[in-house]
Amino acid sequence: AALLPALLSTSRAWAWLNGRDYVTPDDVKALAQSTLAHRLSLRAEAELEGVSVAAVLESAIGPFPATLMFITGRFFGLV
């Protein structure tokens, strides 16, 4: 699954719709959950325990400042 390229594409589109030709770290963070949620699936055990994809993404993305997410994407050559 191409998770990071999908996030980059939606972030670029969001920036363009907002009249910018560049992506900000806040763009990436704002779109991360909605872009990635439908690309992830939980094991049956997790679903039975009441875990949601949204909760998993929030625990993975929430603690990181937007700037760190942006730098990480840049490190991998995605920005």
Side-chain angles (χ1 to χ4, degrees), residues 49-76:
E49 292 175 6
V51 176
S52 69
V53 170
V56 171
L57 283 171
E58 182 58 32
S59 69
I61 296 168
F64 294 102
T67 306
L68 180 60
M69 291 181 64
F70 184 76
I71 291 169
T72 304
R74 188 175 189 107
F75 177 77
F76 287 108

Side-chain angles (χ1 to χ4, degrees), residues 1-26:
L3 298 177
L4 292 177
L7 182 55
L8 176 60
S9 294
T10 56
S11 297
R12 284 181 176 160
W14 182 255
W16 181 81
L17 288 170
N18 284 289
R20 291 182 274 112
D21 61 353
Y22 58 92
V23 174
T24 68
D26 289 326

Side-chain angles (χ1 to χ4, degrees), residues 36-51:
L36 302 177
H38 73 280
R39 291 176 165 83
L40 300 177
S41 60
L42 299 175
R43 294 189 340 223
E45 296 88 354
E47 290 180 355
L48 289 172
E49 292 175 6
V51 176

